[in-house]
Amino acid sequence: MNLKTEHRKKMSLGGAAALFLMVLGYGVSFFFPLAEAAARTQNLLLNVEPLFYWMILAGFAAQMVDGALGMGYGVTCTTILMSLGVNLPAISGSIHTAEVFSSGASGYSHYKFGNVNKKLFKVLLIPGVLGAIAGAYLLSVVGEEYGDYVRPVLAFYTLILGSRIMYNAFRKKKAAKQKIKKAGLLAGAGGFLDSFGGGGWGPLVTSTLIAKGRAPRFVIGSVSITELFVALASSLTFFAMLGLSHLHIILGLVIGGLIAAPIAAHLAGKLPMKTMFIAVGSLVILWSLRILLKTL
């Protein structure tokens, strides 16, 4: 790579980062006034709820899983928060707001190391964002009033995701390369279920594309950078619909994730992947079954 090409790449990356920060800042300032945020933060620090510490633990556990497996942040958080009885819209809104930070760092790293397939990214982006907005809007509308009915549905959904993670542990590592049909539809479904169910973008989209024989490096990189925009669209929709009622949950998840991030990065690739998949899949299945049994 010559100096001019490298310089252009750095300039485009810097421009993209500046554009993202500008859009993020505008969105946060529009839905999340700074004066109100400061007042709520001060009030939170003076009146810390016990749930806040559970959120730190949940964020830590989810980031450890995601850092080791490249997926599972949303489904891990969702099952823990549902077990604690957290309001359903607050679960998904909090997870996606916290996930903007982790997916932003992950997407930047993948782009920097050349792991992003631009064509695949463009195919996934718009359907994924639209699906995320639709899922967030629907959950905001029905989550409160029909929470008793939606909770077992989401528990069954996380049970399926847990089973899929277990399946990934035992399937053959290599698959014959197949043509991917309707990748946009897959992204739309992934974005919708991720917002409505609190997780599933990685287990659904990443595992499906890899199962079709796509190179894991480019699938994970492209899906990860797309996840940034999916999470951002989802979190802004939840902010517009719900306001700041779940700030303490968001802060707990972010703090826990920041603590876990360097540990997870250090352990990545050093732990037996099959064992990790089995452990995480088993925990998600057990959590989901517990919620279903409590509901019944």
Side-chain angles (χ1 to χ4, degrees):
M1 181 183 297
N2 57 46
L3 292 176
K4 289 186 178 180
T5 303
E6 186 176 356
H7 179 69
R8 283 198 298 268
K9 186 175 180 180
K10 289 182 178 179
M11 289 291 290
S12 63
L13 180 59
L19 179 62
F20 165 71
L21 291 174
M22 182 179 68
V23 173
L24 179 60
Y26 175 78
V28 170
S29 63
F30 185 80
F31 294 113
F32 194 30
L34 295 180
E36 184 180 353
R40 285 180 174 269
T41 302
Q42 183 180 11
N43 183 62
L44 173 66
L45 294 175
L46 294 174
N47 303 280
V48 178
E49 300 179 21
L51 183 62
F52 176 71
Y53 299 106
W54 283 105
M55 294 305 100
I56 294 177
L57 181 61
F60 181 88
Q63 186 59 45
M64 288 294 291
V65 170
D66 194 64
L69 303 181
M71 65 176 73
Y73 184 93
V75 66
T76 303
C77 275
T78 299
T79 48
I80 294 175
L81 269 60
M82 279 200 298
S83 299
L84 295 171
V86 177
N87 176 277
L88 293 178
I91 290 177
S92 192
S94 303
I95 290 171
H96 287 92
T97 304
E99 202 169 14
V100 167
F101 296 91
S102 59
S103 60
S106 177
Y108 172 78
S109 298
H110 282 295
Y111 182 83
K112 181 178 179 181
F113 290 108
N115 296 339
V116 177
N117 182 314
K118 293 182 180 179
K119 184 178 179 181
L120 180 59
F121 167 70
K122 291 177 182 178
V123 170
L124 298 177
L125 179 60
I126 301 301
V129 166
L130 293 177
I133 293 172
Y137 176 80
L138 182 61
L139 184 62
S140 299
V141 171
V142 306
E144 283 280 0
E145 186 175 354
Y146 301 100
D148 291 340
Y149 302 99
V150 175
R151 191 175 293 272
V153 173
L154 295 185
F156 183 71
Y157 169 63
T158 56
L159 179 65
I160 294 173
L161 290 181
S163 302
R164 191 178 184 93
I165 291 172
M166 289 285 285
Y167 167 75
N168 288 336
F170 294 100
R171 74 178 183 185
K172 295 180 179 179
K173 292 185 178 180
K174 293 185 178 180
K177 189 173 182 179
Q178 304 173 38
K179 186 177 180 180
I180 303 173
K181 298 180 180 179
K182 300 180 179 178
L185 183 61
L186 173 66
F192 177 86
L193 292 173
D194 195 67
S195 282
F196 190 80
W201 172 260
L204 180 64
V205 180
T206 302
S207 59
T208 299
L209 293 175
I210 291 177
K212 292 291 185 179
R214 304 290 111 173
R217 171 190 169 190
F218 293 107
V219 168
I220 293 172
S222 304
V223 172
S224 293
I225 198 170
T226 308
E227 186 178 18
L228 166 63
F229 298 94
V230 171
L232 182 60
S234 180
S235 61
L236 290 177
T237 304
F238 279 116
F239 271 132
M241 299 293 294
L242 304 175
L244 304 176
S245 60
H246 49 284
L247 180 60
H248 62 295
I249 300 176
I250 296 171
L251 289 177
L253 293 177
V254 170
I255 291 172
L258 291 176
I259 295 172
I263 303 173
H266 179 71
L267 294 177
K270 297 181 180 180
L271 298 174
M273 293 300 290
K274 184 174 181 178
T275 303
M276 288 294 295
F277 272 109
I278 293 172
V280 174
S282 299
L283 285 175
V284 170
I285 290 171
L286 289 173
W287 275 325
S288 302
L289 288 174
R290 178 177 175 271
I291 296 166
L292 286 171
L293 291 174
K294 284 180 67 177
T295 304
L296 297 175

